[in-house]
Amino acid sequence: MSIAVDVSREGVRIALSEQRVREVVRAVCRREHVRDALVSVTFVTNARMARLNREFLGHKGATDVITFQLHANGPRAQRDAALIGDIYIAPQVAAANARERGIGIREELARLVIHGTLHVLGYIHDEGDQRMTGEMWRRQEALIAAIV
């Protein structure tokens, strides 16, 4: 079993240690029965996130998290295949979301790490109102309760 997690910060400060980010990704992988993974988590400025959002998703402005799944597995499919993906998080957007929700920034950052890791696993969510009630959201919140 090998779960490698690379964490980097592109000129931004984060309220979680790089070690804690690694622990969260590894905890999600263990709970989802992932045996082998290579995941990078990069914290970026709002400007960089806005560029990624426009270039890859065709959306305007910065978002909180963008994930690139680098293999063709769906959730819980092909357990023997390595999990590979990149997660980009904008801490400034996360901080604004945390304030809006009345929660701590550490919890919100952990939520985004979990959210991104679930996307790398192949989970998808609906847009709009269903985004906050679907299977992926329920799994994410269960993982937050167990890990954070």
Side-chain angles (χ1 to χ4, degrees):
M1 183 165 146
S2 172
I3 300 174
V5 183
D6 180 63
V7 180
S8 61
R9 293 174 283 142
E10 294 185 356
V12 297
R13 294 177 53 132
I14 58 174
L16 289 178
S17 71
E18 291 180 13
Q19 182 59 35
R20 182 65 181 141
V21 172
R22 286 185 197 92
E23 290 168 0
V24 170
V25 172
R26 288 182 181 128
V28 172
C29 288
R30 279 192 305 275
R31 289 175 180 274
E32 293 294 317
H33 308 289
V34 172
R35 300 180 61 111
D36 294 299
L38 176 57
V39 178
S40 72
V41 181
T42 305
F43 294 90
V44 299
T45 64
N46 280 5
R48 172 86 191 278
M49 183 61 87
R51 284 192 303 275
L52 289 168
N53 203 15
R54 182 181 63 250
E55 182 177 347
F56 292 100
L57 301 176
H59 300 157
K60 186 176 182 180
T63 188
D64 50 4
V65 60
I66 293 178
T67 304
F68 298 98
Q69 179 189 40
L70 304 176
H71 61 88
N73 293 347
R76 297 179 294 276
Q78 299 179 6
R79 294 270 184 206
D80 294 333
L83 172 69
I84 304 170
D86 296 330
I87 302 166
Y88 292 86
I89 297 173
Q92 288 177 306
V93 176
N97 290 346
R99 282 190 300 276
E100 183 178 303
R101 294 179 181 134
I103 61 172
I105 183 62
R106 286 183 180 92
E107 179 182 337
E108 183 64 10
L109 287 171
R111 175 176 278 105
L112 295 175
V113 171
I114 290 168
H115 186 91
T117 304
L118 288 173
H119 273 310
V120 171
L121 275 159
Y123 283 88
I124 57 170
H125 53 73
D126 294 327
E127 296 300 320
D129 294 338
Q130 289 75 26
R131 180 177 184 175
M132 301 302 274
T133 59
E135 176 189 355
M136 182 177 167
W137 182 84
R138 288 190 306 274
R139 185 67 188 138
Q140 169 187 294
E141 295 306 304
L143 287 164
I144 289 166
I147 295 170
V148 175

